[in-house]
């Protein structure tokens, strides 16, 4: 009986590993977010290309840098990359969030407990909390001036003042 049970557990583990390693193949960026317990609205409308490796590292490409409005403004660069695991995107590059009038790189996005309804953004050196529902659907994203994005970078590590 015990042997049966452990065989069953091994089988379940193998199936889970197979599901996990095939997650990403042929899926859209938004689907990949959802199967990882993350809301699809973390990425804006208009992701043109998306690729993800077995280790969860991904790249998403937009046609141009763009600005989305949630509770805060979020700036997406043309190329966004990072690493996805269940409930977490880490090592993010290409996403900045506005705090007061400054822009800070979003380093990680984390859902610790899906039942809490809360999602955390590690922005600069602080952790910001939002309702997950804020990111239910991919937002419209207004194309922005490449020059502004470059100015943002020159200001160092993605911190800069937004000209509006
Ligand atoms: C975005 O990535 C593509 C393909 O990797 C590259 O050709 C392009 O130069 C990158 N664009 C920017 C703005 O970094």
């Amino acid at each position: 009986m015990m042997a049966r049970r452990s065989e069953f557990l091994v089988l379940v583990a193998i199936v889970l590993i197979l599901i996990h390693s095939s997650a990403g193949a042929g899926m859209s960026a938004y689907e990949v977010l959802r199967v990882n317990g993350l809301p699809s609205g973390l990425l804006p409308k208009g992701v043109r290309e998306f690729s993800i490796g077995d280790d969860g590292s991904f790249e998403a490409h937009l046609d141009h840098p763009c600005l989305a409005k949630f509770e805060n403004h979020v700036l997406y660069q043309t190329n966004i990359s990072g690493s996805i695991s269940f409930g977490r995107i880490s090592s993010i590059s290409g996403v900045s969030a506005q705090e007061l009038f400054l822009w800070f790189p979003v380093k990680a996005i984390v859902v610790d407990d899906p039942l809490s309804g809360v999602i955390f953004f590690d922005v600069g050196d602080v952790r910001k909390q939002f309702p997950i529902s804020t990111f239910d659907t991919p937002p419209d994203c207004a194309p922005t001036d490449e020059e502004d994005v470059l100015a943002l970078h020159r200001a160092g590590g993605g911190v800069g003042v937004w000209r509006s």
Side-chain angles (χ1 to χ4, degrees), residues 20-25 32-33 36 38 50-60 80-86 88-92:
H20 181 77
S21 59
S22 66
V32 168
L33 287 170
N36 281 287
L38 294 160
F50 180 78
S51 60
I52 182 162
D54 289 342
D55 61 354
S57 62
F58 73 94
E59 282 184 27
I80 299 159
S81 61
S83 182
I84 298 189
S85 55
F86 196 83
R88 173 182 296 267
I89 312 176
S90 48
S91 308
I92 301 175

Side-chain angles (χ1 to χ4, degrees), residues 28-34 38-48 62 66-70 74 76 80 132-142:
S28 75
Y30 312 107
E31 287 166 334
V32 168
L33 287 170
R34 277 195 298 268
L38 294 160
S40 57
L42 291 176
L43 286 169
K45 284 180 192 163
V47 171
R48 192 166 39 81
L62 303 170
C66 70
L67 194 60
K69 173 100 181 77
F70 299 101
V74 174
Y76 296 92
I80 299 159
I132 294 181
S133 58
T134 306
F135 304 96
D136 273 350
T137 53
D140 289 318
C141 203

Side-chain angles (χ1 to χ4, degrees), residues 21-151:
S21 59
S22 66
M27 281 201 255
S28 75
Y30 312 107
E31 287 166 334
V32 168
L33 287 170
R34 277 195 298 268
V35 299
N36 281 287
L38 294 160
S40 57
L42 291 176
L43 286 169
K45 284 180 192 163
V47 171
R48 192 166 39 81
E49 283 171 52
F50 180 78
S51 60
I52 182 162
D54 289 342
D55 61 354
S57 62
F58 73 94
E59 282 184 27
H61 300 274
L62 303 170
D63 283 331
H64 35 63
C66 70
L67 194 60
K69 173 100 181 77
F70 299 101
E71 282 179 29
N72 296 35
H73 278 108
V74 174
L75 176 69
Y76 296 92
Q77 286 168 228
T78 316
N79 293 340
I80 299 159
S81 61
S83 182
I84 298 189
S85 55
F86 196 83
R88 173 182 296 267
I89 312 176
S90 48
S91 308
I92 301 175
S93 157
V95 182
S96 305
Q98 194 181 33
E99 272 300 309
L100 302 175
F101 294 100
L102 299 176
W103 289 91
F104 297 93
V106 177
K107 295 171 180 171
I109 298 174
V110 181
V111 175
D112 276 335
D113 173 8
L115 296 180
S116 68
V118 165
I119 191 164
F120 297 98
F121 275 48
D122 290 336
V123 182
D125 292 327
V126 299
R127 174 163 272 208
K128 295 272 299 175
Q129 176 177 321
F130 301 98
I132 294 181
S133 58
T134 306
F135 304 96
D136 273 350
T137 53
D140 289 318
C141 203
T144 71
D145 200 337
E146 186 88 35
E147 204 178 291
D148 286 333
V149 179
L150 291 177

Side-chain angles (χ1 to χ4, degrees), residues 2-26:
M2 285 307 281
R4 281 278 163 81
R5 192 182 146 88
S6 59
E7 277 169 26
F8 176 73
L9 289 177
V10 167
L11 188 65
V12 167
I14 290 170
V15 168
L16 287 176
I17 288 164
L18 287 175
I19 289 171
H20 181 77
S21 59
S22 66

